[in-house]
Amino acid sequence: MQLFYQPDISENDQQVIFPKEESRHIVKVLRKKEGEILNVTNGSGFLFKTEIILITSQQCIAKIIEVEAEKKPDYYLHLAVAPTKMNDRYEWFLEKSTEIGIQEITPVICEHSERKFVKSNRFERVLQSAMKQSLHFSIPKLNEPLSFSEFIQSDIKGEKYIAHCEEDKKRISLKSLLKPKQNSTILIGPEGDFSLAEIELALNNGWIPVSLGKSRLRTETAAIVACHTVALTNED
């Protein structure tokens, strides 16, 4: 199934008007014709089966003929991940975590972060593409970047885990702590790990120190390991 994305439609709408760029792709690249069926999601958990009723060089309009709601997962995963030095590594994490299944992502700027700025618009496009490719109907929520201290002291619901690499700090395997159907937020640090001050601040604010295994992982790899561990814990 080929999936298209139009965030401005709801389950009560009668038709879909595609934006100029998506319309051009449908008409010029895919060469779709009036009467053909398109599957569209709004990224909010709905799939719309539509039929093209009007095509011009600049616009594509389709009528909605069927609506399907995606079954929501029984758990909620929020990954707070420090930006990587190379943007493409962070984009890889965004892509793969969306494919696996994640609900929320926050870039967190740490003391050892080599990159202090992120390209949110580019990241949003990566999430959209990954959602369509993996045939999900919900796009992860991407928050604006926060400093470590701002994030660690924010109001976060559910279990809170920090995955750091300090050997002299007591850590428990994330896999052993996770339970199905729980809400979890997991912090993943930069290439140089969290600073000792950051780890202490997290522990003092109720965050649980966890290990992701014996190997020393890159930031983006650690984030995917955490994401997949949560997904496996929640498999039927």
Side-chain angles (χ1 to χ4, degrees), residues 19-79:
K20 185 176 181 179
E21 184 177 337
E22 189 82 301
S23 293
R24 187 182 299 113
H25 180 71
I26 293 170
V27 177
K28 299 294 186 181
V29 179
L30 300 177
R31 299 186 182 279
K32 297 291 185 180
K33 307 294 183 183
E34 292 179 5
E36 291 195 58
I37 300 298
L38 300 179
N39 292 296
V40 187
T41 182
N42 60 359
S44 299
F46 288 93
L47 174 68
F48 303 85
K49 184 178 179 181
T50 72
E51 179 184 343
I52 299 175
I53 57 175
L54 177 64
I55 283 182
T56 70
S57 60
Q58 300 292 323
Q59 192 176 62
C60 177
I61 301 176
K63 67 177 180 181
I64 297 172
I65 56 179
E66 188 177 315
V67 180
E68 175 186 341
E70 183 177 44
K71 182 181 182 298
K72 291 185 178 180
D74 295 324
Y75 67 97
Y76 192 93
L77 174 59
H78 181 183
L79 283 184

Side-chain angles (χ1 to χ4, degrees), residues 184-195:
S184 304
T185 299
I186 305 173
L187 262 168
I188 306 293
E191 281 87 341
D193 199 16
F194 300 107
S195 69

Side-chain angles (χ1 to χ4, degrees), residues 20 45 51 82 94 98 112 143 146 152 158 178 193 215 218 236:
K20 185 176 181 179
E51 179 184 343
L94 294 173
T98 301
H112 296 160
N143 297 316
L146 290 175
I152 211 73
L178 290 172
D193 199 16
S215 299
R218 289 182 180 274
D236 293 333

Side-chain angles (χ1 to χ4, degrees), residues 11-233:
E11 63 273 25
N12 298 317
D13 288 340
Q14 302 298 312
Q15 66 178 22
V16 182
I17 302 175
F18 292 96
K20 185 176 181 179
E21 184 177 337
E22 189 82 301
S23 293
R24 187 182 299 113
H25 180 71
I26 293 170
V27 177
K28 299 294 186 181
V29 179
L30 300 177
R31 299 186 182 279
K32 297 291 185 180
K33 307 294 183 183
E34 292 179 5
E36 291 195 58
I37 300 298
L38 300 179
N39 292 296
V40 187
T41 182
N42 60 359
S44 299
F46 288 93
L47 174 68
F48 303 85
K49 184 178 179 181
T50 72
E51 179 184 343
I52 299 175
I53 57 175
L54 177 64
I55 283 182
T56 70
S57 60
Q58 300 292 323
Q59 192 176 62
C60 177
I61 301 176
K63 67 177 180 181
I64 297 172
I65 56 179
E66 188 177 315
V67 180
E68 175 186 341
E70 183 177 44
K71 182 181 182 298
K72 291 185 178 180
D74 295 324
Y75 67 97
Y76 192 93
L77 174 59
H78 181 183
L79 283 184
V81 184
T84 52
K85 182 179 180 180
M86 303 299 292
N87 257 331
D88 60 344
R89 290 182 177 174
Y90 206 86
E91 291 173 7
W92 179 84
F93 146 65
L94 294 173
E95 178 183 78
K96 300 310 174 187
S97 62
T98 301
E99 292 176 16
I100 295 168
I102 188 172
Q103 288 71 47
E104 188 172 355
I105 299 163
T106 302
V108 176
I109 310 302
C110 304
E111 285 186 38
H112 296 160
S113 293
E114 295 189 60
R115 181 176 292 277
K116 304 293 185 180
F117 303 98
V118 299
K119 298 178 180 178
S120 298
N121 290 340
R122 168 64 186 172
F123 287 173
E124 284 285 359
R125 290 195 293 271
V126 171
L127 293 176
Q128 292 171 19
S129 178
M131 175 190 65
K132 292 191 291 184
Q133 188 277 329
S134 55
L135 300 182
H136 289 308
F137 309 152
S138 297
I139 192 168
K141 178 184 178 183
L142 178 64
N143 297 316
E144 290 298 316
L146 290 175
S147 70
F148 182 89
S149 59
E150 287 176 320
F151 183 80
I152 211 73
Q153 298 177 77
S154 59
D155 183 24
I156 296 172
K157 308 299 182 185
E159 301 300 322
K160 303 183 295 184
Y161 304 109
I162 178 170
H164 65 75
C165 301
E166 286 297 322
E167 296 294 341
D168 61 341
K169 301 290 183 180
K170 184 178 179 181
R171 296 176 297 157
I172 306 170
S173 166
L174 175 65
K175 180 182 177 182
S176 68
L177 290 173
L178 290 172
K179 296 180 177 62
K181 301 182 181 181
Q182 76 177 22
N183 295 343
S184 304
T185 299
I186 305 173
L187 262 168
I188 306 293
E191 281 87 341
D193 199 16
F194 300 107
S195 69
L196 291 177
E198 287 172 333
I199 294 172
E200 288 301 322
L201 179 61
L203 301 184
N204 291 336
N205 279 274
W207 290 74
I208 302 170
V210 295
S211 167
L212 298 175
K214 295 181 180 180
S215 299
R216 191 175 182 90
L217 306 174
R218 289 182 180 274
T219 295
E220 69 276 14
T221 310
I224 294 302
V225 168
C227 183
H228 194 236
T229 301
V230 173
L232 287 178
T233 300

